[in-house]
Amino acid sequence: MIRTRRAGLFIAAIMAMLCGQSLAQTQPLLRCGPFTQAVLDPPAPRLANWPVQEFEKINAAVKTQPHRVLFLGDSLTERFDPELWRQHMEPRGVLNAGVSGDRTEHLLWRLQHGHLDGPPPAAVVVLIGTNDLAYDRSPEIVAEGIRADLQYLRRRLPAARIGLLGLWPRGMWPDAPLRGVIAAVNRLIRNCADDRAIFYADLGGLLLDPDGRLTPEVSPDRLHFTGLGYARLVPRLDALIDRLLRR
């Protein structure tokens, strides 16, 4: 009787474990979306002015340069103030993987073609989507492109924590046309955060003056940022990255 009971308990434990594995396998990678049923542009490198040297440089760096964090993005990442990067990002082991001009589908292509082929980082920071806005994409399309990047990262780097940054403001005035689109995108993508694998941070307000203006001292072209702009961002970025690395 005792042996039979033990055998039954053992079988029940095995079944519970298998059911747990099956449930984990069917859990969605993200808690958000899909945001649209429209077909996205497929992953692809940029056809015009493709920065092949920067792409190859990042591919080499992820395999040879020790790092703990991969900072993915476009020109807002690539052109991060160099001195502030040395002071704040390098000590945290952050590798700059930004490529100017990239849209969400370009980042996805880069991820599929070498940017994740090195030792897996402990964390990833993602800032992408502002260039999608120049192609008259709806907030839902832009958010879905970001979601596609997040899905791929979760699939390829299941143990890495992801810091998802909301899009930063564009245009000088609060009523600038892109401000509303950016706010709509951010309202969608923030739902992807679960504070377990994905952590969302909307830092855009730090770049604005008390009247909601994006001033020339912070952004001369109302898109890219000066050292003053990045100086406003780095304390919150530091805190986010430290949180991603904390286990």
Side-chain angles (χ1 to χ4, degrees):
M1 176 68 72
I2 295 176
R3 289 181 179 178
T4 302
R5 185 178 302 153
R6 287 178 177 172
L9 291 173
F10 177 76
I11 292 172
I14 293 295
M15 292 299 294
M17 181 181 68
L18 292 175
C19 289
Q21 289 178 347
S22 176
L23 181 62
Q25 291 170 355
T26 59
Q27 290 289 333
L29 293 173
L30 302 175
R31 66 186 294 268
C32 60
F35 300 119
T36 179
Q37 298 302 316
V39 178
L40 299 180
D41 284 359
R46 292 210 312 278
L47 296 178
N49 302 317
W50 184 44
V52 61
Q53 289 184 335
E54 188 63 28
F55 166 74
E56 292 177 345
K57 174 184 172 184
I58 296 171
N59 269 0
V62 296
K63 299 171 186 174
T64 60
Q65 183 175 320
H67 62 282
R68 303 169 68 198
V69 183
L70 201 58
F71 200 137
L72 299 164
D74 46 43
S75 59
L76 300 179
T77 301
E78 182 183 352
R79 301 181 191 177
F80 202 104
D81 182 83
E83 183 58 32
L84 290 171
W85 187 276
R86 282 191 292 270
Q87 293 176 7
H88 294 265
M89 300 296 111
E90 286 185 5
R92 290 173 167 79
V94 184
L95 177 64
N96 192 318
V99 175
S100 296
D102 266 11
R103 302 192 294 275
T104 51
E105 69 268 24
H106 302 141
L107 174 57
L108 183 54
W109 187 89
R110 288 197 280 127
L111 297 176
Q112 295 172 345
H113 289 82
H115 282 13
L116 302 181
D117 288 352
V124 179
V125 177
V126 179
L127 175 61
I128 196 69
T130 196
N131 291 316
D132 296 49
L133 303 177
Y135 286 76
D136 293 326
R137 294 177 176 176
S138 68
E140 292 76 17
I141 291 287
V142 178
E144 187 65 16
I146 297 169
R147 181 175 175 272
D149 292 337
L150 294 175
Q151 277 193 306
Y152 190 79
L153 286 167
R154 291 286 292 120
R155 191 174 296 115
R156 281 290 305 271
L157 302 172
R161 288 180 167 183
I162 299 172
L164 173 61
L165 299 180
L167 301 190
W168 295 346
R170 294 178 62 169
M172 182 171 182
W173 301 99
D175 59 355
L178 288 180
R179 291 283 192 97
V181 179
I182 288 170
V185 171
N186 290 345
R187 282 194 296 269
L188 293 171
I189 64 173
R190 70 183 305 145
N191 295 308
C192 296
D194 55 18
D195 290 336
R196 179 182 55 83
I198 299 178
F199 300 79
Y200 176 77
D202 187 353
L203 310 183
L206 300 171
L207 297 162
L208 304 175
D209 74 2
D211 294 321
R213 297 177 303 174
L214 190 58
T215 64
E217 294 78 15
V218 170
S219 178
D221 64 355
R222 313 302 190 269
L223 169 59
H224 301 96
F225 298 94
T226 63
L228 175 60
Y230 285 104
R232 293 181 179 181
L233 296 169
V234 287
R236 289 281 299 277
L237 286 173
D238 288 351
L240 173 64
I241 292 169
D242 290 344
R243 184 183 184 189
L244 296 176
L245 293 174
R246 192 179 304 126
R247 294 292 179 176

